[in-house]
Amino acid sequence: MRHRNMQSLPRQAGFTLLEMIVVLVIIGLIMGLVGPRLFGQADKAKVQTAQTQVKMLRGALQTMRLDISRWPTEQEGLLLLTNKPANADAARGWAGPYLDEAVPSDPWGQPYQYSPQPSGNNPFTLYSFGADGKPGGQGQDADVGYLPGQTTTNPQ
């Protein structure tokens, strides 16, 4: 009689431990193939973001130069785009802020490098050190923007 009651109980559906492990292994293999491609695209997007930000900052600097008839000094830097100088002579003509928000950091969280020294055909130097945060480099670590000693005006 006891044997009969067991057979009449409905069987519960579910996954065995082996089936769960197989599914997890398959998901792991897929992520191993797709993951590096996704991360590669994220790095590429950061470089493109840095190039775009350099161009945006260049435009803001050019607009400000039209107003104050000079480029920011090394000490003033890019902050002159958002902060009016305290000195009345330096503030003459300043009609900023020239950016809607604060001066952005590069996509890797570092400040952009600015110098009033010419860069190729560009009247100033403006660039990011890239992913490694150091001068020079290759690929994602390469510097991006209007670099010291550069011969063209197009950001890399």
Side-chain angles (χ1 to χ4, degrees):
M1 186 169 200
R2 183 173 201 185
H3 182 62
R4 201 175 208 205
N5 286 340
M6 289 236 174
Q7 287 180 345
S8 63
L9 291 174
R11 191 163 179 219
Q12 292 184 349
F15 297 106
T16 65
L17 180 60
L18 181 60
E19 290 170 327
M20 296 285 280
I21 291 173
V22 168
V23 169
L24 290 174
V25 167
I26 291 171
I27 290 172
L29 289 172
I30 291 172
M31 289 306 295
L33 295 172
V34 176
R37 290 186 183 159
L38 291 176
F39 290 121
Q41 293 299 321
D43 291 339
K44 192 176 184 181
K46 285 184 177 184
V47 171
Q48 290 173 342
T49 299
Q51 291 170 339
T52 302
Q53 285 180 333
V54 164
K55 289 178 184 176
M56 182 257 322
L57 290 170
R58 178 178 189 242
L61 285 166
Q62 289 172 331
T63 302
M64 185 186 66
R65 184 181 182 279
L66 291 173
D67 290 344
I68 66 172
S69 302
R70 66 179 179 85
W71 299 107
T73 64
E74 190 107 23
Q75 293 78 23
E76 292 169 329
L78 297 176
L79 290 178
L80 190 60
L81 293 170
T82 56
N83 300 330
K84 186 175 185 173
N87 182 332
D89 288 336
R92 189 179 9 238
W94 192 88
Y98 297 92
L99 297 173
D100 292 336
E101 297 177 4
V103 176
S105 296
D106 72 14
W108 301 279
Q110 301 299 318
Y112 282 99
Q113 305 302 307
Y114 168 81
S115 170
Q117 301 303 314
S119 171
N121 297 332
N122 217 36
F124 55 83
T125 302
L126 177 63
Y127 62 99
S128 164
F129 284 132
D132 64 354
K134 300 176 191 170
Q138 298 287 327
Q140 309 304 325
D141 295 336
D143 299 345
V144 178
Y146 306 104
L147 306 169
Q150 183 176 347
T151 58
T152 65
T153 59
N154 295 329
Q156 296 180 8

